[in-house]
Amino acid sequence: VLPEDAQDILDIKPPLEIPKNWLPIVLLSVLIAALVGGAALLLRRYLKKRQEGQTLAPAKPALPPHVTAYQALEQLRRSKLLERGQLSQFYVRVSEIIRRYFEERFRIDALEMSTPEVLRDLAGIGTSGENMSLFREFLDRCDLVKFANFVPLRGQSDRVFELALQIVDSTKETGSEQEGLPGKEEV
């Protein structure tokens, strides 16, 4: 209802024309292109320097697994854990050294496996019965101390260290294996 002095309803006004100003759009596009281009150049330069740094310093050749194991066992011997009565730490470390040796030498995931799994995988690669007995004795003795809280005598701990050395001695790579040729000796 319209008041008596009101005029008729007015029609809708037409849309306003917005003048096209391309300058901000062009400037924004140029700025974005410059930022993307600059980032690409920086990334390229970084990757090139990184690649040059890698090629300039040749990688140090990896030591054979038996050398690494001998060094770790010698370090363990010098740590005097047995003399200080830290039997659990000694057994954990000697077991870790030999399991890491198994990983590097035989390419099995020994650090993540239980003893039966390790023995199964070692048997699967054609390990001799004599070495399997050596492995089993070593791993079983370590497991007793690590998991069953067995307290060994000093002579038993010395025997475990000797077993670790025997394992490395009896399974280390021969010269022909290191060169990629099949070895004549059975593992």
Side-chain angles (χ1 to χ4, degrees), residues 35-185:
L35 288 173
V36 169
L41 285 174
L42 288 173
L43 179 63
R44 184 176 175 194
R45 184 177 293 164
Y46 168 75
L47 292 174
K48 187 175 180 181
K49 282 186 178 185
R50 185 173 158 199
Q51 185 180 19
E52 287 173 0
Q54 290 176 352
T55 57
L56 292 178
K60 195 165 102 174
L63 294 173
H66 67 275
V67 173
T68 305
Y70 284 138
Q71 289 174 347
L73 288 169
E74 178 58 27
Q75 184 180 11
L76 177 61
R77 186 186 60 76
R78 281 188 269 128
S79 73
K80 307 257 189 234
L81 289 174
L82 288 177
E83 287 80 3
R84 291 184 291 187
Q86 296 174 319
L87 298 175
S88 182
Q89 292 92 334
F90 171 81
Y91 277 85
V92 167
R93 286 194 47 203
V94 75
S95 175
E96 183 181 299
I97 291 166
I98 295 303
R99 285 175 179 265
R100 185 167 282 121
Y101 171 72
F102 287 159
E103 283 190 357
E104 294 173 8
R105 173 71 172 94
F106 302 115
R107 305 286 185 244
I108 62 171
D109 199 16
L111 283 170
E112 302 300 323
M113 294 179 172
S114 66
T115 294
E117 292 170 331
V118 171
L119 293 172
R120 180 200 64 216
D121 283 7
L122 289 170
I125 61 171
T127 304
S128 71
E130 183 180 316
N131 281 341
M132 285 302 295
S133 297
L134 191 64
F135 299 161
R136 184 172 289 107
E137 181 183 355
F138 173 80
L139 292 171
D140 286 344
R141 286 177 183 248
C142 288
D143 286 351
L144 276 174
V145 175
K146 288 170 30 182
F147 303 117
N149 295 326
F150 176 73
V151 180
L153 300 173
R154 174 58 193 247
Q156 292 170 320
S157 299
D158 291 338
R159 171 73 178 145
V160 166
F161 191 81
E162 291 169 14
L163 287 171
L165 289 172
Q166 283 180 319
I167 288 171
V168 177
D169 287 341
S170 66
T171 60
K172 65 183 173 186
E173 295 174 336
T174 62
S176 60
E177 286 176 308
Q178 290 176 5
E179 296 168 8
L181 303 173
K184 294 183 181 180
E185 298 177 348

